Amino acid sequence: MNIHTKAVHAGDRKKQGDHIPVTTPIYTASSFVYEDIETTDKVFAHEVEGYAYARYDNPTNHALEELCTALESGHGSLACATGMAALEMALRTALIDRRKKVVAANALYGATMNLLTKVMEPFGVETTFVDICDFEKVAAVIAEEKPGAVLMETISNPLLRVGPLDRIANLTKESGAALIVDNTFATPMLIRPLELGANLVVHSLTKYLAGHGDVMGGVIVSDEGHFEALRTLSRTYGPALGPFEAYLSMRGIKTFPLRMERQCRNAIAVAAFLRHHPRVSKVNFLDDPEHPDAVTLQRLLPNGLHGAMISFELKDAGREEIFAFMNGLKMIVKATSLGDVHSMMLYPAMSSHRDLAPKQRERLGISDSLVRLSVGIEDSADICADLNQAL
Ligand SMILES: *Cc1c(COP(=O)(O)O)cnc(C)c1O
């Protein structure tokens, strides 16, 4: 089935007694009972399907999880309170029976970097960082470090680099490491990492999937081999998403493919506008035939969708000029986060990459003249007009 169809059908319309609700209601019950205690016993023992306690599972979350599983072509999912909770659960699931060692992309979402260096490392899990777009290097580091897990993002933030996910999946399969992919930026509209051999896919639901800037959530979509461990760990660890958030996320996802299609189309127009603007010195966007990962992009993203994230540099600009430009924006929302229906702009040096030393930012290629734009569903001419009057 096409992703547009899955988005509006998967997970919903489970029979309830004599009727079928058209959309899944919000179940706030913290526990569930059955007519007789024998059935409750069997539910606890996983001998019959059912719900026992909301930390383990609840029908609203279950519907959302089925939907995410369908979108990502997975075996099963776990909805978590945030994207970060989902990332932590994915790492724990991957490492529970493997060597406590991670190889990770050196360009990752800031909090993910902190999760690895400030949470996992003090608990004995070391990470080696590598340029995930340099396949030979990745292969050498995996051979050398023998990691239990490899962690990467499909599209890096904010420079929009794309690593050879399919080839890396072949490496991890051979080495026995689990491949965890944060697919928040690309979404299953552009790429479905499980189909390419990844083991666990993570999303911040907060971004494109929910898409309306009104809910926090995360999800892990798992292959068959890791699903049991994921659910078992989560029953104890307790990162479950609340049912209200599950409902909002599911409501958002129904229009996610429509929104994403439009956002991708808008982004092509906005990137073209920026490339022709005399104040803009550099535009990072995936439709660029001279993109440093063009070969990978042609192989992995052949369907004409290039995502809806753009980053660009202003000529000879520093913090002061960037602040003046951003203050001049009248419509584009100057806030952190991304993937919402409205366009949003962020200054990485001030927000997502604030904690890095200026030298380290420079080494990652994140200059003080770089801004990141998440293109929304507005009319692209209005987005360009707002940028134009502020530039
Ligand atoms: C936002 C984001 C996260 C974290 O998700 P939260 O829902 O904020 O916890 C992780 N990875 C990427 C790529 C993100 O953009």
Side-chain angles (χ1 to χ4, degrees):
M1 244 186 243
N2 182 276
I3 193 162
H4 289 268
T5 313
K6 287 180 182 172
V8 293
H9 285 287
D12 269 331
R13 290 177 282 286
K14 299 275 160 42
K15 197 161 192 292
Q16 305 291 327
D18 63 348
H19 70 277
I20 300 172
V22 169
T23 55
T24 304
I26 302 169
Y27 285 83
T28 56
S30 52
S31 52
F32 300 82
V33 291
Y34 297 85
E35 301 259 10
D36 51 74
I37 197 76
E38 285 80 7
T39 307
T40 310
D41 180 52
K42 285 189 179 123
V43 169
F44 268 102
H46 302 294
E47 284 165 15
V48 298
E49 267 193 46
Y51 301 95
Y53 190 55
R55 190 175 72 237
Y56 305 160
D57 205 357
N58 97 48
T60 316
N61 287 29
H62 191 85
L64 170 66
E65 287 161 355
E66 263 190 33
L67 174 56
C68 294
T69 302
L71 295 182
E72 282 286 6
S73 308
H75 176 77
S77 298
L78 175 75
C80 295
T82 63
M84 290 316 300
L87 270 162
E88 160 131 35
M89 274 309 299
L91 282 162
R92 286 184 189 276
T93 301
L95 295 178
I96 186 92
D97 56 359
R98 289 190 178 88
R99 210 166 108 76
K100 309 295 179 263
K101 172 89 215 184
V102 177
V103 165
N106 61 6
L108 287 171
Y109 181 70
T112 308
M113 205 63 119
N114 286 343
L115 172 66
L116 292 167
T117 56
K118 297 186 178 147
V119 180
M120 302 299 278
E121 198 179 310
F123 281 94
V125 179
E126 260 188 50
T127 299
T128 304
F129 293 97
V130 62
D131 175 358
I132 208 76
C133 298
D134 183 345
F135 181 73
E136 304 307 323
K137 195 71 168 280
V138 173
V141 171
I142 290 177
E144 164 118 11
E145 304 291 341
K146 302 183 177 51
V150 174
L151 173 63
M152 65 183 287
E153 294 170 359
T154 30
I155 302 176
S156 80
N157 174 33
L159 296 177
L160 312 180
R161 296 292 307 269
V162 175
L165 173 50
D166 49 347
R167 298 180 71 198
I168 293 170
N170 291 337
L171 286 180
T172 53
K173 193 167 282 172
E174 268 171 36
S175 75
L179 178 59
I180 304 170
V181 178
D182 182 335
N183 200 27
T184 301
F185 270 41
T187 82
M189 197 76 183
L190 268 66
I191 191 165
R192 289 173 294 282
L194 293 168
E195 291 176 2
L196 301 174
N199 303 104
L200 295 156
V201 169
V202 175
H203 279 277
S204 168
L205 288 168
T206 317
K207 314 292 169 54
Y208 286 106
L209 292 181
H212 293 73
D214 57 1
V215 60
M216 296 283 308
V219 68
I220 306 152
V221 187
S222 171
D223 66 1
E224 192 171 355
H226 293 82
F227 186 59
E228 191 70 32
L230 173 66
R231 296 299 308 201
T232 305
L233 275 178
S234 79
R235 285 164 73 93
T236 306
Y237 202 64
L241 183 68
F244 291 98
E245 285 76 10
Y247 170 81
L248 276 177
S249 301
M250 198 160 181
R251 184 183 164 95
I253 290 174
K254 289 179 200 299
T255 55
F256 144 70
L258 266 182
R259 285 185 275 111
M260 191 66 190
E261 229 170 41
R262 174 156 179 118
Q263 282 168 279
C264 289
R265 208 165 53 232
N266 277 352
I268 291 173
V270 173
F273 161 79
L274 288 169
R275 283 186 185 118
H276 288 105
H277 200 284
R279 271 205 75 198
V280 176
S281 54
K282 183 162 194 260
V283 177
N284 301 307
F285 185 57
L286 301 191
D287 75 343
D288 183 357
E290 284 171 19
H291 190 284
D293 308 310
V295 176
T296 303
L297 283 167
Q298 265 174 17
R299 196 172 68 246
L300 297 184
L301 306 180
N303 60 3
L305 298 175
H306 310 284
M309 300 298 300
I310 300 174
S311 61
F312 58 98
E313 288 180 13
L314 294 198
K315 208 169 278 176
D316 304 319
R319 184 184 159 94
E320 207 174 310
E321 290 78 12
I322 296 291
F323 274 27
F325 161 60
M326 288 180 70
N327 277 329
L329 294 169
K330 292 185 175 143
M331 179 191 80
I332 296 168
V333 182
K334 297 169 283 259
T336 190
S337 197
L338 60 109
D340 284 339
V341 284
H342 42 262
S343 294
M344 302 175 93
M345 187 174 287
L346 160 153
Y347 183 33
M350 180 194 82
S351 49
S352 58
H353 293 72
R354 186 187 187 98
D355 292 342
L356 299 181
K359 269 263 174 321
Q360 204 178 351
R361 272 203 298 270
E362 203 179 290
R363 199 149 32 80
L364 290 172
I366 299 162
S367 80
D368 283 354
S369 61
L370 183 82
V371 291
R372 188 191 82 184
L373 176 64
S374 166
V375 179
I377 64 169
E378 305 95 335
D379 190 289
S380 62
D382 288 329
I383 303 171
C384 294
D386 193 31
L387 290 166
N388 196 43
Q389 61 82 30
L391 276 165

